[in-house]
Amino acid sequence: MPGLNCYSCPAAAGACPIGAFQAVVGSSKFSFSYYVTGFLILTGVLLGRFVCGFLCPFGWLQELLHKIPGKKLSTGKLKPLRYVKYGVLALAVVLLPAVLANDVGMGDPLFCKYICPQGVLEGAIPLSLVDSGIRSALGALFTWKLAVLIAVVVLSVLFYRPFCKWVCPLGAFYALMNKVSLLGMKVD
């Protein structure tokens, strides 16, 4: 999948490229992720940020949440926050999973594990509602990720796509490709 779609969720039809990339980067036999990187580059060159606006299910959810009537806030004064997603891409997706390893030699998928709220939305919440065993196993990490999800939901009602604009490393990667994208979209 070209958009955020948690690869570890049971109902996922496809894998999130960020999750797949981190799985390869964190592998003890990591050299370079040609398959995932090639997919990201091809998608970025062909479609650019079109993916964020029309193919990413999490972007679509934020779009729907922003349509809830109420006071809307401008992101004009918050433009410097757009650069945070490039730091998230460099640090949490590429560098730290490749450098920090556990006892077995595997790196943690830091973005997926600690930042991305899509897995809680797609997997943890629905599965915990139907399975008491899963409900009893939820701990501090679930609470943290649920808090991140709630924050994104609240911010999405107030701001237009805050997670996409400020945090999403996939959006950062596609933004880099947008300059050479075949499908260049301009907002009038």
Side-chain angles (χ1 to χ4, degrees), residues 80-153:
L81 289 177
R82 291 181 304 170
Y83 299 104
V84 170
K85 66 183 170 216
Y86 297 102
V88 170
L89 175 64
L91 289 173
V93 174
V94 179
L95 264 152
L96 293 177
V99 175
L100 300 177
N102 60 18
D103 297 338
V104 187
M106 301 289 288
D108 252 354
L110 296 174
F111 173 74
C112 296
K113 188 173 180 180
Y114 296 108
I115 301 170
C116 186
Q118 183 71 349
V120 171
L121 180 67
E122 281 186 346
I125 291 173
L127 289 173
S128 66
L129 290 175
V130 298
D131 189 336
S132 61
I134 291 176
R135 249 191 325 274
S136 65
L138 298 176
L141 184 57
F142 171 78
T143 306
W144 165 254
K145 298 261 310 237
L146 183 61
V148 171
L149 177 63
I150 291 168
V152 170
V153 167

